[in-house]
Amino acid sequence: MASTASGLTRRRGGGGGGAAAGSADNEDGSRVSSPVPKRTDDRTPETSYENSANGHKIAFDPRDISESEERNKQPKLTLMEEIVLMGLKDKQGYLSFWNDNISYALRGCIVIELAFRGRISMQKDSSRRRFPLADRVIEVIDDTLTGEVLLDETLKMMKSSEKMSVNSWIDLLSGETWNLMKIGYQLKQVRERLCKGLVDKGILRTEKKNFLLFDMATHPVADGGAKEEIRRRVRNVLTSRTVVLPASQFLPEEMEFRYLRTITMVCAAYAANVLENALTTLGHEARERAFAQVDELLAEYSQWPFARRAGGSAGVGANLGQVINDEVNNGKDKELQLEVIAACLSVFTRLDSLL
């Protein structure tokens, strides 16, 4: 009985674990081992408590609350998923085999999404202004995982590797490099993984179809409402004199940079050569005006600071300049992140479809 008491005494006083307790077995039972200093780098989750209605204490990890709050501010779909959804044939469930731009544009969208979520920014160095936007170096400022597989995979690579420019990262993620030491940076099967993510979110479904000598998984649209909402948003930006974006699960009211994100999505769809799929209900002349409008948007938002605009062709989007200026002013502490977005859009202007 005495040995049990002494064991409890050592555990209560020391907290040092088996080694401390084992060495104390040959000592007097009344002695207490010295406490082990608390590690400053200990990343063990902290526990908080709150009282429930019946008076009992409930334990929870505060990080779960902050992560939940962040998810509520994020749209249901990432930029990459919106681009893929816009390019998919609704019934056939696959992307055009002749689209050479979408793979590169999707990698650019991954970098943009990480910037919007506050994970990366331009390196804070005044000398960076001597270089073109796309050649400026980016760095990880928050390595908290997002819960999106492709984003987290990219974030881990950026965190563990040397700092590189926006253009270099998009090239490496796309596999466009002659450096065999860096070929491992390429993200594999991005389109298929995005489609599977959309299946998990209930937007697409999976089917198998036979193409001559082999079977291929296809992903027809299961929830047409998501794709129609994206199309409406695109047409709103490219055809309306005054652009108003209603809140939805795909564009929450609480989300920062709602209008800038939408313009970025439109420009990325243009670069990925899938924008026309959202404009099929427009007549020929209206489509031409819409493409002229996105040309202007891409020119204005592929530079930093963003160019001021008084309205596009025929006064389309006359309020966009002021609305986005307000968004930027409200996020003054995030200017280095917005600079990354402008740099990615400047990379998009080099794609073949825009020449």
Side-chain angles (χ1 to χ4, degrees), residues 295-332:
D295 268 328
E296 293 181 19
L297 290 173
L298 189 55
E300 291 161 2
Y301 292 97
S302 60
Q303 54 185 297
W304 182 259
F306 298 135
R308 293 180 176 273
R309 71 193 319 261
S313 303
V316 174
N319 66 321
L320 284 177
Q322 184 58 51
V323 171
I324 291 180
N325 189 52
D326 291 343
E327 288 184 339
V328 172
N329 288 335
N330 291 335
K332 277 291 185 183

Side-chain angles (χ1 to χ4, degrees), residues 157 161-165 168-169 171-188:
M157 283 195 290
S161 74
E162 61 182 295
K163 293 177 181 177
M164 292 183 284
S165 69
S168 295
W169 270 116
D171 281 349
L172 290 176
L173 294 174
S174 303
E176 295 192 7
T177 177
W178 293 101
N179 188 340
L180 296 179
M181 300 296 291
K182 293 185 176 180
I183 198 67
Y185 286 101
Q186 182 181 7
L187 291 176
K188 305 290 181 63

